[in-house]
Amino acid sequence: MFRVLASRGLRAKSLCDNKSSSFLAPFTSSRWNHSIPFATVDAEEISGAHPAEVQSFVQGKWIGSSNYNTLLDPLNGEPFIKVAEVEESGVQPFVESLAQCPKHGLHNPFKSPERYLLYGDVSTKAAHMLALPKVADFFTRLIQRVAPKSYQQAAGEVFVTRKFLENFCGDQVRFLARSFAVPGNHLGQQSHGYRWPYGPVTIVTPFNFPLEIPLLQLMGALYMGNKPLLKVDSKVSIVMEQMMRLLHYCGLPVEDVDFINSDGKTMNKILLEANPRMTLFTGSSRVAEKLALDLKGRIRLEDAGFDWKVLGPDVQEIDYVAWVCDQDAYACSGQKCSAQSILFVHENWSKTSLLSKLKDLAGRRKLEDLTIGPVLTFTTEAMLEHMENLLKIPGSKLLFGGKPLKNHSIPSIYGALEPTAVYVPIEEILKDSKTYELVTKEIFGPFQIVTEYKKDQLPLVLDALERMHAHLTAAVVSNDPIFIQEVIGNTVNGTTYAGLRGRTTGAPQNHWFGPAGDPRGAGIGTPEAIKLVWSCHREVIYDYGPIPHGWELPAST
């Protein structure tokens, strides 16, 4: 097996010294891009010896650049992908392309309504393509190469993307633009409410879900009649570049979407010069706040989330709850905006084997199958420094982890840390603002805070939750309806799971996913999310008459 992997540029050293390579399962030796009509790369062959190249797309054409951002393989440090990034001097074609789209969009309920049907057809064909095992496997493996996660986690991302597309086949796109009418004050008058596109829009998405986040937001923008410019983090943009080629193959008009690779400074220049009518940003809170100012509020945000889980007083199904906690905190090496960042454990749970089971489950995770892997935005040193600062808090202690991964070739620009949990007493968390800010600092990696509360300390828990700034996902793990009512009634998070099976991660395509408590908050995946983010309300009041019989010119008022 290792000889085959090495011949395809996936050396044994890129994983670790262990002889397992199950993260690539199921494995076949065929070069699938030869039988996949849109693909221009083979995920298995991308390597230092056979680097892939990523292009941008503007005004109906794929373009290169003399400015290449060479990416290192997160598993072995080889320069394995060359991203042709647009420089500041080359933004004009993208600015001009957005300017060609009018404010009323490429289609709306009164203009080119047949395009609603077109996008129902594109969704049908794209969903069919992703349902083909070889295509699904192609994207799963490609995701693994740039954002290393287990095969099951990467395949889940492809599955959710396909189900989303299936949800908007046929007439479902035009149903998004459903209008309503209200009777007027007199004969011939009616008011009609319509969902109206913004026209030229931009989408900026992060590295952690290279396919799901950009594709769902891109299609939502297109469904409603907008013309998007899409920018995905260059570390993973090869995935969406290949998805763009699939969409073109499935009938996406080439003039409808532009796709850019660039650094943040160049993209910021485009945003300021093109003045898009709306921007969707998914990523860090720091960048989100800057863009909100630059764009004068014409933005929707799904920014960082320090996500919490509260275990209620009713203890049951310990093995299951422990497993969900492990998945929420450490799947994808904790690199989910919905990852469990802090766990509030009721004293009844502390008397059980829950924490020891959490330690055992975390210990099962291995680099060989990528159930733990590289952290792409925090170095090992930065995570360990944060841990040491936490351990200076009185009463805090390391529950498990806290050590660098061993026997690997992950480059030092990335992080490599065992799944880690630090206990901090709840009284200390709330002691002062400096400590609270330290404890609630989001570490986008396999790292969580654990604390305990007693039966009369729920107000302290609710106080801790009230002070948080980001309100994305949360979980209330309890089947006690009174307890659930108390916690949900005093919190904000936009996607909250309640009940024994409550989790913070695993957002599928069948319910809203997004923050709450911020008028700029974005959603993803559902008809409600698409309409909120990618359209605005327009009211048209029809007043045909007739003029009342015997009408006379009234006095001025």
Side-chain angles (χ1 to χ4, degrees), residues 5 13 66 71 187 231 354 457 464 490:
L5 287 173
K13 190 66 175 174
S66 59
L71 306 179
L187 185 62
K231 182 197 180 311
L354 175 75
Q457 289 184 314
N490 288 278

Side-chain angles (χ1 to χ4, degrees), residues 298-319:
R298 294 190 304 274
I299 193 167
R300 289 282 184 177
L301 304 174
E302 189 209 314
D303 55 357
F306 188 85
D307 305 299
W308 51 265
K309 178 182 289 182
V310 176
L311 303 186
D314 46 324
V315 176
Q316 50 189 313
E317 301 292 349
I318 298 172
D319 287 339

Side-chain angles (χ1 to χ4, degrees), residues 422-474:
V422 174
Y423 172 84
V424 182
I426 190 167
E427 297 87 353
E428 293 295 330
I429 293 175
L430 297 169
K431 196 169 188 178
D432 56 63
S433 60
K434 184 177 180 180
T435 302
Y436 183 83
E437 289 174 5
L438 173 63
V439 171
T440 57
K441 177 181 178 181
E442 183 182 19
I443 300 297
F444 214 55
F447 199 104
Q448 69 170 322
I449 304 295
V450 177
T451 191
E452 181 190 20
Y453 70 101
K454 301 187 184 305
K455 63 180 180 179
D456 60 348
Q457 289 184 314
L458 182 59
L460 294 183
V461 175
L462 297 177
D463 183 22
L465 303 183
E466 176 67 18
R467 295 189 194 182
M468 292 182 185
H469 299 296
H471 306 292
L472 183 54
T473 69

